[in-house]
């Protein structure tokens, strides 16, 4: 079994998925409840310059369903190495998720003979928020772009004037090798062992303590 597959299979457990977001993203707040999580398809289609579609595959996607309705859509993307285009990739994935929601609403409106015509969706219809986190397993420090602005080259003489009007797109990067011990101790799923190992592997004394405890 490849490491990539093993990572996805572990993260796909609801308790692990909730643990990752609640502790590594939301600072220990119980935002996700494992009994409300439902798996979602991982295929993602984004447009190409040629006018067609490019298929990509997300790693793990789940929806938080409460009272029969999706509250939020969560995605975890695994990276074993740095990627200079990661902010653009995340932007494409999230755009595809929102566009798919719009298509579903439009299809339902048409089926119900309730089309919004040029507006596409009605004024009161809203989309489900999408939260994506990049889980970085790599040994090298992430020095690649962390937002869309990091990928862009602004002309120095006009950067200050132009930059505020160029939409940015930050990504949520979690370097698993740098998760503080107090955060790791808060975790309750088996993912804690993974994060403990990654955080300790470059520190012999901590690794010795980790191995003796496990």
């Amino acid at each position: 079994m490849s490491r990539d597959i093993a990572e996805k299979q572990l993260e796909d457990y609801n308790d692990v998925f909730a643990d990752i977001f609640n502790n590594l993203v939301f600072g220990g707040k119980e935002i996700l409840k494992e009994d409300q999580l439902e798996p979602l398809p991982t295929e993602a289609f984004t447009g190409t310059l040629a006018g067609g579609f490019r298929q990509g595959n997300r790693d793990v996607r789940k929806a938080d369903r409460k009272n029969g309705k999706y509250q939020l859509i969560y995605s975890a993307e695994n990276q074993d190495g740095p990627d200079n285009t990661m902010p653009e990739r995340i932007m494409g994935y999230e755009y595809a998720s929102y566009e798919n929601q719009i298509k579903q609403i439009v299809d339902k409106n048409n089926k119900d003979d309730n089309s919004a015509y040029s507006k596409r969706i009605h004024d009161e219809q809203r989309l489900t928020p999408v939260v994506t986190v990049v889980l970085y397993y790599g040994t090298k420090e992430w020095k690649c772009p962390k937002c869309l602005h990091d990928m862009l080259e602004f002309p120095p003489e006009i950067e200050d004037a132009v930059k505020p009007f160029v939409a940015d797109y930050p990504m949520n990067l979690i370097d698993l090798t740098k998760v503080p011990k107090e955060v790791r101790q808060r975790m309750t799923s088996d993912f804690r062992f993974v994060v403990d190992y990654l955080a300790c592997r470059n520190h012999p004394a901590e690794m010795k303590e980790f191995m003796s405890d496990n």
Side-chain angles (χ1 to χ4, degrees):
M1 181 186 298
S2 72
R3 183 166 131 181
D4 181 56
I5 294 175
E7 291 167 356
K8 293 177 185 178
Q9 287 187 337
L10 176 60
E11 294 160 13
D12 196 44
Y13 286 101
N14 281 357
D15 64 323
V16 172
F17 196 84
D19 202 19
I20 289 170
F21 277 87
N22 288 339
N23 287 294
L24 301 185
V25 180
F26 297 130
K29 297 179 182 178
E30 192 181 0
I31 305 297
L32 273 71
K33 294 179 170 48
E34 59 179 284
D35 59 350
Q36 293 179 186
L37 292 173
E38 294 184 5
L40 291 177
T42 55
E43 295 83 5
F45 295 89
T46 56
T48 65
L49 292 176
F53 290 92
R54 177 180 62 205
Q55 180 177 356
N57 288 296
R58 314 295 301 271
D59 286 333
V60 185
R61 294 179 70 228
K62 290 182 183 290
D64 181 4
R65 181 188 285 273
K66 185 177 181 180
N67 298 325
K69 180 182 178 181
Y70 286 170
Q71 294 190 114
L72 283 157
I73 293 173
Y74 296 91
S75 300
E77 299 298 324
N78 299 322
Q79 281 295 120
D80 291 326
D83 184 342
N84 284 316
T85 66
M86 203 68 200
E88 184 268 347
R89 281 177 55 192
I90 298 302
M91 183 172 64
Y93 286 147
E94 294 192 344
Y95 163 79
S97 182
Y98 287 121
E99 184 63 23
N100 183 60
Q101 290 184 55
I102 293 172
K103 182 180 183 302
Q104 290 178 352
I105 294 173
V106 170
D107 289 346
K108 186 177 186 307
N109 287 345
N110 291 338
K111 183 179 179 181
D112 295 342
D113 197 22
N114 186 33
S115 174
Y117 299 104
S118 61
K119 290 185 177 182
R120 295 189 73 191
I121 63 176
H122 292 289
D123 295 347
E124 71 278 5
Q125 292 179 318
R126 294 291 184 268
L127 307 180
T128 301
V130 177
V131 179
T132 303
V133 63
V134 178
L135 300 175
Y136 181 50
Y137 288 79
T139 56
K140 296 181 179 179
E141 184 178 356
W142 185 283
K143 295 183 179 180
C144 295
K146 296 180 181 179
C147 66
L148 185 61
H149 275 190
D150 290 346
M151 295 178 61
L152 307 180
E153 184 176 2
F154 291 93
E157 65 276 11
I158 60 172
E159 180 174 357
D160 290 344
V162 172
K163 195 171 184 178
F165 299 96
V166 178
D168 198 5
Y169 208 95
M171 68 177 190
N172 303 306
L173 178 72
I174 305 295
D175 187 336
L176 297 178
T177 68
K178 296 182 178 180
V179 177
K181 188 173 184 178
E182 62 269 20
V183 175
R184 304 195 312 261
Q185 289 177 334
R186 211 166 53 210
M187 304 185 76
T188 57
S189 73
D190 288 346
F191 200 73
R192 175 183 170 178
F193 298 107
V194 175
V195 183
D196 272 338
Y197 173 79
L198 294 174
C200 295
R201 64 184 171 186
N202 293 326
H203 305 280
E206 291 186 29
M207 178 57 76
K208 184 177 180 180
E209 180 183 351
F210 169 75
M211 296 301 292
S212 64
D213 291 341
N214 297 281

